[in-house]
Amino acid sequence: MVKSHKSGSDDAWEGVVEDKSRGMLDGANMYHFVKLRRADGQSVKVRIGRGLWKSIAVGDRLVKQPGGDPIKA
């Protein structure tokens, strides 16, 4: 079973970027990921869009509201 790192439309989260990565998981498409440290201390890896990935750095805060896309806060 493969766990998707892509946020669902109803998901909500926020955290501080710990690491950025990208990869061609299927051999044809480039996927962009960030590792976030949430307020409760948990680390999660989520997939984000290329534009946002290029505009953030380690230490930036990201927020995702239900029904929206992740944004830099």
Side-chain angles (χ1 to χ4, degrees):
M1 184 164 143
V2 175
K3 179 180 178 350
S4 173
H5 297 292
K6 185 167 182 177
S7 299
S9 63
D10 293 332
D11 291 348
W13 46 259
E14 67 178 87
V16 176
V17 176
E18 289 188 324
D19 190 30
K20 294 171 46 174
S21 61
R22 62 186 181 161
M24 294 181 71
L25 304 179
D26 60 7
N29 299 300
M30 182 66 72
Y31 295 99
H32 299 83
F33 301 97
V34 289
K35 182 179 176 185
L36 296 175
R37 173 70 61 181
R38 297 186 345 191
D40 62 5
Q42 288 186 329
S43 288
V44 292
K45 186 175 183 180
V46 294
R47 192 172 112 194
I48 61 173
R50 178 179 180 254
L52 178 59
W53 188 86
K54 289 181 77 172
S55 71
I56 61 173
V58 172
D60 287 345
R61 181 173 219 56
L62 295 182
V63 176
K64 165 130 177 19
Q65 298 294 332
D69 291 328
I71 58 169
K72 184 177 172 180

